[in-house]
Amino acid sequence: MNAPQAEATTSPLVAASSTLALVHYLDLQGVLDLPTVERITGFRRNELTDPDLRIPAENHYRLWEHAELATGDPAVGLHAGQVIDPDRMGLVGHVFFNCDTLGEAVTQYVRLHRLINESVTLSFEQAGDQAILTWQADSPGHYCRQDMDRTLAAALCRTRHFIHSSIVAEWAEIAHPEPSYGNEYRRLLGGRIYFGSGTTRLAFDSRHLGHPIPHRNPYVYSAVLKQVNSLLARLQGRRTFGRKIRRLISRQMATERIDADTLAKQCHMSRQTLYRRLKKEGLGFHELVEEVRMDKALRYVAADHYALGEIAFLLGFSELSAFSRAFKRWTGMAPAQYRARHQSNESGETSE
């Protein structure tokens, strides 16, 4: 199989960088059986280095099953996720760790998550003084315990390493039942753990959203973000129905309240059919509305073409204060602060 064939499939895809990281981990453990790995993934090892390559999620998950057998380690996902290697991070990782703050990084992580794994939906919310990330597989067949373990471990370990060492989970809900290595989650995450929850959620103190990211490079951020936005546009192009709904949401955002019933009528279908069509493409309606609103907010505020009050109106907020609260929830900073930082970065680039 080659890259064009992988892109042509209708099954959900996973970034090849994630698969390559697992191959590297198996190599480090001295258990890499390259012919078996290439048979499972459908790609040669050198092909997995292509930053644009994406492989079927089913192949990626079968490789995790092989990894557990090859290492004899049921907690292989947790252990692989604790390996910190900046040179082996994917494009989204480089965007994440070159943002201004953890809040902005989380916003971009959620927005770009489909580039990492199409079979899992990631959402973010703030509830009181807690920030909560939620991972939801689009079907039971696309839930992989080892891959979810690796996702949780990598998210926390990389954040501690690159941003702030004191960050711990307030609590976590794990979709799968408690495995034999349940105590390892508690040691790694730091908070209360609830297994068998159906979805995976990770909560941390929202004050961490304001943490600046040390050693960020605005030039790397700008270059890599252009590349991942191009990838995201191609990915969205594969989902023709979702793309149509995205356009309708964007067009109606400033003129009327966005709701599923209204959009369903415009598409001459029921709300249930709308939900079902979106789910088939790995999308959720409410997450899509939030994604469109957040994406437009980041672009409008950074561009400095509109006053903040005008942006609030364009995005369908009743007043500026409501927009400011939502923007701070997305990025960890106020819109004016985000605009000032972005303009400062651009001035720095221009002066070079």
Side-chain angles (χ1 to χ4, degrees):
M1 180 182 290
N2 53 31
Q5 287 174 307
E7 290 291 351
T9 182
T10 57
S11 64
L13 303 175
V14 171
S17 59
S18 298
T19 306
L20 186 61
L22 177 52
V23 173
H24 179 62
Y25 182 78
L26 293 174
D27 203 1
L28 287 176
Q29 301 307 305
V31 295
L32 178 61
D33 178 354
L34 198 54
T36 298
V37 166
E38 292 182 342
R39 175 177 55 79
I40 292 172
T41 63
F43 292 88
R44 293 187 295 274
R45 183 176 183 173
N46 66 315
E47 291 178 314
L48 295 174
T49 61
D50 181 352
D52 292 349
L53 179 66
R54 306 166 62 70
I55 74 170
E58 291 88 347
N59 298 20
H60 180 69
Y61 294 152
R62 282 199 296 271
L63 186 61
W64 272 115
E65 294 172 1
H66 166 75
E68 182 170 333
L69 290 173
T71 59
D73 177 14
V76 61
L78 288 182
H79 298 152
Q82 294 176 59
V83 175
I84 307 294
D85 187 350
D87 292 333
R88 294 185 180 275
M89 285 195 304
L91 293 171
V92 175
H94 286 292
V95 170
F96 189 103
F97 292 109
N98 283 287
C99 289
D100 280 323
T101 65
L102 177 58
E104 183 188 354
V106 168
T107 298
Q108 292 288 14
Y109 181 42
V110 172
R111 186 177 77 89
L112 301 173
H113 186 262
R114 305 303 287 189
L115 292 177
I116 302 172
N117 190 338
E118 289 182 12
S119 71
V120 176
T121 298
L122 175 63
S123 58
F124 174 69
E125 62 179 315
Q126 276 192 262
D129 59 357
Q130 292 185 336
I132 304 169
L133 287 164
T134 301
W135 290 266
Q136 176 67 62
D138 60 11
S139 71
H142 287 150
Y143 183 82
C144 175
R145 170 179 52 82
Q146 301 94 333
D147 191 62
M148 185 55 66
D149 282 354
R150 187 259 177 194
T151 297
L152 289 172
L156 264 180
C157 291
R158 291 181 180 184
T159 300
R160 288 169 181 160
H161 179 82
F162 289 107
I163 301 176
H164 204 286
S165 60
S166 71
I167 295 177
V168 297
E170 296 283 303
W171 52 264
E173 294 176 349
I174 310 297
H176 52 261
E178 181 170 2
S180 59
Y181 54 94
N183 285 334
E184 292 204 34
Y185 294 87
R186 299 178 180 92
R187 287 195 295 269
L188 175 65
L189 303 182
R192 302 183 308 279
I193 310 295
Y194 307 94
F195 290 97
S197 301
T199 58
T200 297
R201 305 172 75 209
L202 185 69
F204 57 95
D205 194 315
S206 59
R207 64 185 170 85
H208 292 306
L209 294 173
H211 278 317
I213 297 182
H215 315 302
R216 70 176 297 271
N217 187 322
Y219 310 109
V220 170
Y221 176 82
S222 178
V224 177
L225 189 61
K226 287 179 182 177
Q227 187 171 355
V228 296
N229 280 339
S230 175
L231 284 171
L232 190 64
R234 294 209 300 272
L235 172 62
Q236 290 166 353
R238 291 177 61 237
R239 299 192 182 94
T240 54
F241 183 70
R243 193 177 185 184
K244 175 182 179 179
I245 298 302
R246 190 185 302 272
R247 285 198 302 268
L248 288 173
I249 292 170
S250 181
R251 188 158 48 229
Q252 293 182 210
M253 193 160 278
T255 59
E256 55 188 287
R257 182 174 175 271
I258 304 296
D259 64 80
D261 288 320
T262 300
L263 287 179
K265 288 178 182 177
Q266 291 183 23
C267 297
H268 308 290
M269 63 181 63
S270 68
R271 182 177 60 178
Q272 289 74 21
T273 301
L274 172 70
Y275 285 162
R276 187 169 62 252
R277 292 277 302 274
L278 287 174
K279 185 177 181 180
K280 188 175 181 181
E281 296 185 3
L283 300 170
F285 176 76
H286 298 293
E287 291 79 8
L288 202 57
V289 172
E290 183 82 347
E291 181 183 314
V292 172
R293 182 171 280 124
M294 181 174 65
D295 188 46
K296 291 168 77 76
L298 291 174
R299 289 188 287 108
Y300 284 158
V301 173
D304 199 22
H305 296 320
Y306 300 104
L308 296 179
E310 292 177 300
I311 295 173
F313 171 77
L314 289 171
L315 299 182
F317 289 92
S318 58
E319 53 188 17
L320 178 58
S321 60
F323 168 62
S324 296
R325 286 194 298 273
F327 195 90
K328 192 167 185 179
R329 172 167 56 83
W330 293 328
T331 67
M333 67 177 76
Q337 183 184 6
Y338 183 89
R339 172 169 281 178
R341 286 199 181 193
H342 190 88
Q343 295 304 312
S344 175
N345 289 339
E346 285 197 346
S347 297
E349 291 179 21
T350 302
S351 64
E352 293 290 328

